[in-house]
């Protein structure tokens, strides 16, 4: 369930002659009661007295000054607590809009019907609740004899009004209760009105701004399924001021801009949650004025008398903005809230299709109404002449009814779309509005697909089918991706050209998975201009599998997929439509097959691919030393060689997608995985690390499987070498327990996608020293306007290509930012956010240009034996960026690569050359690095020795371990080397210190 919670507003208000607005341009409401034309009724003594309104919500704080003596009963229907008041703040605000007396504001913020009686049903606690709780509250309210039920809540699931909640809402009308319901906050997209506003008898309320225009967030129609008109009406719902439940999550929400607390007793909130109680209050005034009217009559009076806004369709606003005084006084109303044609299917009858609506005259004189029909094409650019009035005038007898017809003139149109119209019937000051809706199905035909497995038999496994239109956008509710267990599927599709792909499953009783075999098949171009039947799959299938030089390598991962995309964007779309479906298995995969296409793509994308990982020395279900071995975890591990392979074909599915692949055709990597003996607080062995390789095939992202690699260790890894295939790799610090549970993403090394050439290469993983690991895009230290943001993981390894994710769970971070020697106050701390990110912080800084110093520190000693502490100090100049732009500020990182062994150790008593790479990022011109110095420490940073630097190599003389005091040796008898580097360039200075960067061992 969702609450109609506020949208975020920004801006601190404008001059008195300019309305306050939201980022999306919605105008804040300044006078709700006046905007809905209810002040005149209040002057006439109408205040809702004698009318009972149930607020089905988070409860109501009855002790609020505006609601004292207004709440007659309160009940709780939540099963996990017995609280009856409002501990969230939503229901109190809603009740204040309906019946707040304004006692705390001398009447300024009084509700629409301050004399109405409120009954509170608490059915939600924050965002949590259930339909059963809500229906219980609705039924209780009806049993208590309420006249109106207000529900400022709804469901994310769409419905045509036949869901249980909508049916329960419909039943309220039969019990003499008017349901007023928020339409939802999922606009401006169409088909977003949700239950229970989907109920035919629910008065579904959209939100308007202070200028009467529909709010950007307000849910729009038509209704899912039957394409009927919803919402029915709109009311003010942007930054509405009403009762505040202080010290509650919603009562205290205080975003920038016009929303948030006004004082201790009032707050401003936005949503159709605020619009719905405005209409409920107006309904209470109508009921007081006309106690003999049924709830349905009251609803029709409100809808018939609403004020429409120009330029908005009835699917946006219903009949318009509620007008309380006109609803009370106008004696001519329509007998239905809308005139709906629904969706007319193709082919259509040759004669005109007509729908009628009746008008009721509750006066003593005949009234002649002049009729107009304002038609808009809301989808598909349909001619507005397709809808017309059968007559332009009607006389409604005194005390009687008369009907008029609206006709759909079918001129043979084959395209689809939607028309909306507002029927207005006027006579003098009388103006009756009736929304009209019509949807047309385009020329459509049946497309039947016969699905055959590789033996030519009807499919009996799980099959996936994609049907992408190549020459149009999707129709509402059109599902281009289908799943079935049947051997034949029939879908109704608009006439046109399609790209079809399918993954056909065959089931065997003894299969490890449900499907024993999967057949890739499809046709890139299928023309449908009549009933069409197509057979996919069959005995032409050929098995998909790579053959490699190492015959002992077994399959450990398979993925097959098809990526499709239209040649160009269809009318009304920002870009071409696309589909990408794949089937992958991580363990004991089914056999994969492919059937060649008979057609080829023409301009449209149709990329078929196959991904496969093969491995020698693959072990599954064996727990490493020190790991849980209770059978819950499988620890998939491969000692190698491992083959990461990908094959593809564009334009069609080929007869042979895979085949023999020689080692000489592949990129061969000698991957060396380093480790360090544990000496810190964490003292468990981690002999495995989780490795993943994924591919990007012609721009299509393709997956892979995480499999452990022994660490320390060396593994040969082969990659498909192709200019069209880029590989991204990731190594996580902890092991892969099971296929379904990925290890934590924190403290992971990763690469950006890169293309490999055939031939040998060597890659070191987790080899010290690298901190911080800078990303090439420079987005780890930025300035946007007057905000400086840092997101700088202080870890990494020696390879400049390797990026690093935050040590979030494994390190303690601290940041300071100073300007001119004065430390600034942090405005954002990622460690306090969810999801947590200790590597992130931000500061609001002065607009003028100044000199800044960033200091970053990470204590990694609890979980790490090397690079236990990292310090960085950077100075730079910065000023405000242009509006809407972000500047990357200068950072420098250093990646040392000492000649360590697999345990991150170097022999003592000798001088070694330690290569290093400087990484510099930022938008400013940097120039050459000057005044570069490198220092080493062998006592944990207590003392430092400057070392020679020759061509980006630091010449470090390692002392014999025997010369080091015992307190500077770890429990394994090893010493450590700490490193510090300083330098400057045209844009910045930097100083980076890594303590215990690597280990010293006995020669």
């Amino acid at each position: 369930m969702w609450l109609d919670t506020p949208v975020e507003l920004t801006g601190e208000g404008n001059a008195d002659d300019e309305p306050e607005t939201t980022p999306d341009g919605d105008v804040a409401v300044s006078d709700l009661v006046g905007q809905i034309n209810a002040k005149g009724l209040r002057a006439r003594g109408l205040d809702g007295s004698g009318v009972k309104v149930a607020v089905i919500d988070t409860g109501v704080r009855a002790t609020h000054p505006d609601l004292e003596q207004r709440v007659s009963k309160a009940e709780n229907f939540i099963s996990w607590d017995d609280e009856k008041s409002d501990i969230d703040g939503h229901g109190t605000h809603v009740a204040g809009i309906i019946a707040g007396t304004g006692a705390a504001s001398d009447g300024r913020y009084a509700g629409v019907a301050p004399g109405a009686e409120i009954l509170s049903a608490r059915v939600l606690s924050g965002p949590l609740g259930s339909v059963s709780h809500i229906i219980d509250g609705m039924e209780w309210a009806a049993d208590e004899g309420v006249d109106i039920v207000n529900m400022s809540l709804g469901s994310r699931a769409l419905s045509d009004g036949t869901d249980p909640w909508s049916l329960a809402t419909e039943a309220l009308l039969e019990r003499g209760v008017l349901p007023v319901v928020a339409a939802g906050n999922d606009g401006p997209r169409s088909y977003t009105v949700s239950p229970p506003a989907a109920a035919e008898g629910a008065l579904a309320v959209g939100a308007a701004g202070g200028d009467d225009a529909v709010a950007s967030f307000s849910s729009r129609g038509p209704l899912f399924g039957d394409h009927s008109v919803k919402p029915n009406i709109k009311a003010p719902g942007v930054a509405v001021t009403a009762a505040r439940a202080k010290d509650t999550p919603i009562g205290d929400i205080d975003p920038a801009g016009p929303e948030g607390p006004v004082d201790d007793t009032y707050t401003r909130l936005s949503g159709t949650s605020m619009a719905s109680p405005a209409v409920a209050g107006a309904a209470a005034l109508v009921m007081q004025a006309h106690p003999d009217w049924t709830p349905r009559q009251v609803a029709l009076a409100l809808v018939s008398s609403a004020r429409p806004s120009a330029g908005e369709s009835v699917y946006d606003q219903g009949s318009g903005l509620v007008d309380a005084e006109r609803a009370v006084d106008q004696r001519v109303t329509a007998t239905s809230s809308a005139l709906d044609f629904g969706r007319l299917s193709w082919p259509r009858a040759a004669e005109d299709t007509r729908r009628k609506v009746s008008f009721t005259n509750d006066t003593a004189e005949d009234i002649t109404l002049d009729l107009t029909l304002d038609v808009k094409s809301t989808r598909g650019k349909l001619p507005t002449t397709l809808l017309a009035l059968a007559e332009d005038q009607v006389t409604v007898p005194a005390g009687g009814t008369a009907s008029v017809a609206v006709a759909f003139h079918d001129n043979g149109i084959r395209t689809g779309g939607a028309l909306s119209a507002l029927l207005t019937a006027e006579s003098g000051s009388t103006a009756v509005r009736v929304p009209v809706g019509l949807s047309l199905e385009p020329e459509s035909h049946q497309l039947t697909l016969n699905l055959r497995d590789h033996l030519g038999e009807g499919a009996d496994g799980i099959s996936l089918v994609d049907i992408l239109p190549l020459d149009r956008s999707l129709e509402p509710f059109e599902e281009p991706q289908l799943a079935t267990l049947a051997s034949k599927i029939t879908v109704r599709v608009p006439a046109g050209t399609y790209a079809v792909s399918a993954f056909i499953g065959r089931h065997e009783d003894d299969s490890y998975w449900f499907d024993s075999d999967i057949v890739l098949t499809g046709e890139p171009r299928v023309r449908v201009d009549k009933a069409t039947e197509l057979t996919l799959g069959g005995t032409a299938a050929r098995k998909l599998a790579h053959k490699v030089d190492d015959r002992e390598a077994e399959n450990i991962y398979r993925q097959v997929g098809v990526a499709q995309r239209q040649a160009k964007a269809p009318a009304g779309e920002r870009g071409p439509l696309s589909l990408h479906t794949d089937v992958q298995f991580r363990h004991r995969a089914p056999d994969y097959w492919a059937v060649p296409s008979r057609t080829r793509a023409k301009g449209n994308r149709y990329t078929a691919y196959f991904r496969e990982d093969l491995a020698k020395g693959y072990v599954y279900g064996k727990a490493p030393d020190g790991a849980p071995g209770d059978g819950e975890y499988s620890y998939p591990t491969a000692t190698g060689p491992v083959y990461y392979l990908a094959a593809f074909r564009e334009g069609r599915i080929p007869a042979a997608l895979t085949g023999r692949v020689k080692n000489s055709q592949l990129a061969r990597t000698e991957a060396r995985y380093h480790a360090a003996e544990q000496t810190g607080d964490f003292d468990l062995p981690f002999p495995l690390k989780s490795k993943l390789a994924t591919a990007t095939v012609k721009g299509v992202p393709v997956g892979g499987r995480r499999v452990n690699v022994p660490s320390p260790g060396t593994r040969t890894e082969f990659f498909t070498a192709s200019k069209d295939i880029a590989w991204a790799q990731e190594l996580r610090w902890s092991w892969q327990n099971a296929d379904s549970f990925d290890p934590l993403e924190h403290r992971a090394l990763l690469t950006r996608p890169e293309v490999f050439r055939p031939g040998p290469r060597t890659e070191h993983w987790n080899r010290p020293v690298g901190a911080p690991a800078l990303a090439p895009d420079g987005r780890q230290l930025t300035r946007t306007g007057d905000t400086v943001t840092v997101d700088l993981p202080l870890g990494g390894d020696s390879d400049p290509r390797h990026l690093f994710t935050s040590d979030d769970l494994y390190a303690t971070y601290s940041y300071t930012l100073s300007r001119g020697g004065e430390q600034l106050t942090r405005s954002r701390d990622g460690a306090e956010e969810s999801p947590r990110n200790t590597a992130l912080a931000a500061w609001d800084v002065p607009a003028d240009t100044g000199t800044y110093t960033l200091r970053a520190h990470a204590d990694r000693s609890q979980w790490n034996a090397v690079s236990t502490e990292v310090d960085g100090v950077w100075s730079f100049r910065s000023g405000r960026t242009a509006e809407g732009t972000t500047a990357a500020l200068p950072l420098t990182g250093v990646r040392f690569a000492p000649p360590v062994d697999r345990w991150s150790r170097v022999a003592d008593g000798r001088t070694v050359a330690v290569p290093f790479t400087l990484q510099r990022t930022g938008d400013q011109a940097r120039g050459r690095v000057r005044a570069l110095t490198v220092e080493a420490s062998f006592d944990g940073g207590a003392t430092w020795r400057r070392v020679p630097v020759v061509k980006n190599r630091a010449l470090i003389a390692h002392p014999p371990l025997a010369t080091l005091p015992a307190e500077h040796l770890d429990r394994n008898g090893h010493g450590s080397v700490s490193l510090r580097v300083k330098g400057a360039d045209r844009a910045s200075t930097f100083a980076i210190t890594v303590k215990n960067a690597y280990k010293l061992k006995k020669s």
Side-chain angles (χ1 to χ4, degrees):
M1 307 310 306
W2 49 265
L3 275 176
D4 239 345
T5 49
V7 293
E8 181 177 349
L9 306 178
T10 60
E12 299 186 5
N14 305 308
D16 291 342
D17 59 342
E18 295 183 7
E20 297 173 290
T21 58
T22 73
D24 293 320
D26 298 326
V27 176
V29 174
S30 59
D31 181 10
L32 184 146
V33 175
Q35 190 175 345
I36 67 171
N37 196 23
K39 287 186 175 180
L41 297 179
R42 297 267 286 277
R44 289 156 54 179
L46 293 176
D47 64 356
S49 294
V51 179
K52 293 182 177 182
V53 183
V55 175
I56 313 294
D57 214 290
T58 63
V60 175
R61 184 174 289 183
T63 58
H64 190 285
D66 283 17
L67 297 171
E68 288 180 338
Q69 310 304 318
R70 297 268 51 85
V71 183
S72 61
K73 280 193 176 183
E75 289 293 340
N76 174 58
F77 296 92
I78 297 174
S79 58
W80 55 82
D81 67 35
D82 56 3
E83 176 66 56
K84 292 184 180 181
S85 185
D86 184 8
I87 60 175
D88 297 287
H90 189 267
T92 298
H93 195 266
V94 168
I97 295 172
I98 298 172
T101 62
S105 60
D106 294 327
R108 180 180 180 183
Y109 299 131
V112 177
E117 177 183 342
I118 296 293
L119 286 80
S120 171
R122 182 170 177 262
V123 298
L124 289 178
S125 178
L128 301 177
S130 68
V131 171
S132 61
H133 296 156
I134 297 168
I135 293 177
D136 287 345
M138 294 162 59
E139 293 178 346
W140 167 80
D143 292 341
E144 290 293 328
V146 301
D147 303 293
I148 302 167
V149 161
N150 182 87
M151 288 187 282
S152 291
L153 37 82
S155 169
R156 291 292 181 191
L158 297 178
S159 170
D160 60 359
T162 58
D163 62 282
W165 192 4
S166 295
L167 293 176
T169 302
E170 190 75 28
L172 290 175
L173 272 178
E174 305 305 319
R175 300 189 61 180
V177 180
L178 173 62
V180 183
V181 185
N185 292 339
D186 291 322
R189 294 179 295 113
S190 300
Y191 298 97
T192 52
V193 176
S194 60
E200 182 179 358
L203 190 52
V205 185
D211 58 350
D212 293 355
V214 65
S216 60
F217 56 79
S218 186
S219 288
R220 308 314 206 256
L223 191 63
F224 169 85
D226 65 2
H227 301 264
S228 60
V229 174
K230 286 283 183 174
N232 304 109
I233 200 167
K234 66 180 179 181
V238 177
V240 176
T241 305
R244 173 191 177 195
K246 190 180 178 183
D247 299 325
T248 62
I250 295 177
D252 293 348
I253 190 172
D254 190 16
E259 272 197 329
V262 175
D263 53 30
D264 285 351
T265 51
Y266 295 101
T267 191
R268 303 175 77 182
L269 300 177
S270 297
T272 53
S273 275
M274 287 67 249
S276 177
V279 172
L285 300 179
V286 176
M287 287 184 175
Q288 182 186 8
H290 300 283
D292 57 329
W293 282 8
T294 66
R296 197 179 299 274
Q297 286 177 292
V298 173
L300 291 173
L302 290 165
V303 173
S304 295
S305 59
R307 303 193 310 268
S309 298
E312 297 178 6
S313 79
V314 299
Y315 298 131
D316 300 324
Q317 64 175 337
S319 60
L321 189 82
V322 61
D323 187 321
E325 189 162 18
R326 183 179 287 274
V328 168
D329 294 340
Q330 187 162 280
R331 308 303 293 274
V332 179
T333 61
T335 59
S336 60
S337 60
L339 191 156
D340 265 314
F341 283 82
R343 189 173 194 242
L344 302 181
S345 59
W346 191 91
R348 290 173 281 274
E351 63 273 9
D352 290 349
T353 301
R354 295 191 171 206
R355 297 287 188 271
K356 290 186 176 183
V357 63
S358 297
F359 297 96
T360 297
N361 177 8
D362 195 26
T363 71
E365 297 181 355
D366 295 351
I367 295 181
T368 298
L369 300 172
D370 295 320
L371 307 175
T372 57
L373 190 67
D374 180 19
V375 185
K376 291 180 171 62
S377 178
T378 54
R379 183 176 57 82
K381 297 183 179 180
L382 295 176
T384 57
T385 53
L386 293 175
L387 277 181
L389 287 164
E391 52 268 309
D392 56 15
Q393 197 174 73
V394 64
T395 298
V396 187
T401 62
S403 62
V404 298
V406 176
F408 164 63
H409 303 295
D410 190 349
N411 60 4
I413 189 168
R414 290 174 175 265
T415 59
L419 292 173
S420 64
L422 190 65
L423 169 59
T424 301
E426 295 181 291
S427 177
S429 62
T430 297
V432 183
R433 320 285 184 188
V434 182
V436 180
L438 166 70
S439 290
L440 289 184
E441 181 189 37
E443 176 188 351
S444 300
H445 303 282
Q446 302 295 99
L447 173 62
T448 299
L449 302 176
N450 298 302
L451 308 179
R452 299 288 181 264
D453 63 24
H454 66 291
L455 300 178
E457 300 174 355
D460 58 358
I462 301 172
S463 299
L464 306 177
V465 179
D466 287 354
I467 305 173
L468 178 69
L470 298 180
D471 47 14
R472 61 174 177 84
S473 58
L474 294 175
E475 285 289 296
F477 317 124
E478 182 177 2
E479 293 289 346
Q481 295 179 293
L482 307 171
T484 182
L485 287 170
S487 60
K488 175 185 288 189
I489 58 173
T490 299
V491 293
R492 185 169 175 83
V493 298
T497 304
Y498 295 83
V500 179
S501 64
F503 305 86
I504 299 173
R506 175 183 174 85
H507 171 67
E508 296 282 0
D509 291 338
D510 59 352
S511 301
Y512 182 83
W513 303 101
F514 185 82
D515 286 341
S516 62
D517 299 86
I518 295 173
V519 177
L520 167 65
T521 180
E523 295 298 337
R525 291 188 73 84
V526 176
R527 181 67 188 171
V528 178
D529 51 17
K530 59 183 178 180
T532 302
E533 189 164 354
L534 186 67
T535 296
L536 298 174
T539 56
R542 296 181 61 176
K543 184 172 285 190
L544 293 173
H546 290 97
K547 294 182 179 180
V548 297
D549 288 350
D550 195 321
R551 296 184 179 182
E552 296 182 30
E554 60 182 298
N555 173 271
I556 60 171
Y557 174 79
R558 280 180 182 156
Q559 178 185 13
V560 66
V562 175
Q564 305 183 43
R565 187 177 63 223
Q566 295 175 325
K568 62 181 181 179
E573 299 289 344
R574 293 183 178 181
L577 302 183
S578 62
L579 292 176
H580 178 196
T581 298
D582 69 271
V583 179
Q584 57 181 296
F585 288 87
R586 297 179 174 181
H587 179 63
R588 296 177 65 176
D591 286 335
Y592 282 17
W593 307 78
V595 174
S597 304
R598 295 183 294 272
T599 60
R600 290 179 177 268
K602 296 181 180 179
N604 59 299
R605 176 181 202 160
Y606 195 93
T607 303
Y609 65 85
F610 180 69
R611 260 283 285 125
E612 185 172 32
D613 291 348
L614 305 173
K616 182 180 179 180
Y618 175 67
V619 178
Y620 188 87
K622 180 181 179 181
D625 293 340
D630 56 6
E632 181 180 354
Y633 300 128
S634 54
Y635 302 101
T637 303
T639 57
V642 174
Y643 291 82
Y644 299 110
L645 305 175
F648 73 96
R649 181 66 61 87
E650 290 191 289
R652 63 188 178 91
I653 299 171
L657 186 56
T658 61
R660 182 82 167 84
V661 180
K662 296 181 179 180
N663 289 353
S664 59
Q665 299 173 291
L666 303 172
R668 175 177 180 146
T669 299
E670 193 77 6
R672 299 177 181 176
Y673 297 92
H674 295 259
E677 293 172 308
Q678 294 298 329
T679 59
D681 295 337
F682 177 76
D683 200 27
L684 293 176
F686 261 81
L688 303 176
K689 289 182 172 61
S690 171
K691 176 69 180 288
L692 170 70
T694 60
T696 301
V697 178
K698 291 293 288 187
V700 178
V702 180
R705 180 190 182 189
R706 296 186 190 280
V707 174
N708 293 318
V709 56
S711 175
T714 299
R715 190 170 75 178
T716 300
E717 297 171 355
F718 292 95
F719 296 83
T720 296
S722 166
K723 64 181 179 60
D724 297 315
I725 299 174
W727 294 96
Q729 302 177 73
E730 181 186 271
L731 183 72
R732 294 193 177 179
W733 170 73
S734 57
W735 49 49
Q736 180 76 36
N737 292 332
D739 282 321
S740 56
F741 300 104
D742 285 344
L744 293 173
E745 71 232 20
H746 310 292
R747 208 172 155 207
L749 295 164
L750 65 151
T751 67
R752 294 175 178 270
E754 53 189 334
V755 172
F756 293 144
R757 294 182 177 181
R761 56 192 293 271
T762 300
E763 185 164 12
H764 293 269
W765 289 92
N766 202 41
R767 179 179 66 177
V769 182
L774 299 185
D777 61 12
R779 297 295 123 176
Q780 292 167 317
L781 179 63
T782 60
R783 178 166 180 165
T784 304
D786 293 333
T787 300
V788 173
T789 302
V790 61
D791 190 354
L792 185 59
L794 294 172
D797 69 2
S798 62
D799 193 329
R801 298 166 38 258
H802 293 172
L803 304 179
F804 185 68
T805 60
S806 169
D807 288 63
D808 185 52
L809 298 180
Y810 306 106
T812 301
Y813 279 66
S814 63
Y815 290 113
T816 62
L817 184 68
S818 303
R819 175 184 161 112
E822 182 178 348
Q823 187 170 318
L824 303 176
T825 301
R826 190 180 304 183
S827 61
R828 183 177 179 187
D829 186 350
E832 299 176 355
E833 300 179 1
S834 180
R836 174 183 165 92
N837 180 7
T838 56
L840 181 144
W843 299 264
D844 293 332
V845 299
D848 61 309
T849 300
T851 299
Y852 294 87
T853 299
L854 173 68
R855 298 178 182 273
H857 175 80
D859 184 348
R860 309 173 69 238
S861 59
Q862 182 176 359
W863 295 85
N864 297 271
V866 294
S867 299
T868 55
E869 286 189 58
V870 179
D871 280 286
V873 181
W874 297 268
S875 66
F876 52 88
R877 290 182 61 77
S878 174
R880 172 182 285 175
T881 63
E883 184 176 355
T885 64
T886 296
L889 301 178
L891 276 177
T892 300
V894 183
R895 311 292 278 268
F896 289 96
V900 296
D901 64 13
R902 63 180 195 156
W903 287 107
S904 304
R905 303 171 305 190
V906 174
D908 69 339
R910 62 185 65 180
T911 298
V912 299
V914 179
F916 62 87
T917 302
L918 291 177
Q919 292 181 292
R920 294 191 291 171
T921 62
D923 296 335
Q924 302 178 28
R926 304 293 296 274
R928 60 181 292 271
V929 174
R930 62 183 187 275
L932 181 71
T933 63
V934 177
E935 297 171 280
S937 173
F938 308 101
D939 55 11
T943 61
W944 293 90
R945 305 176 190 175
R946 184 168 176 174
V947 302
V949 175
V950 179
K951 294 182 179 180
N952 280 20
R953 280 177 165 79
L955 304 179
I956 302 177
H958 295 141
L961 290 179
T963 65
L964 298 179
E967 62 266 25
H968 298 312
L969 302 179
D970 64 25
R971 66 171 182 226
N972 301 308
H974 298 143
S976 68
V977 180
S978 300
L979 298 173
R980 182 164 67 190
V981 59
K982 298 178 182 179
D985 59 28
R986 188 186 306 169
S988 70
T989 65
F990 62 91
I992 299 169
T993 303
V994 182
K995 292 187 178 180
N996 303 311
Y998 58 93
K999 294 290 186 178
L1000 281 180
K1001 67 177 180 178
K1002 185 68 176 174
S1003 298

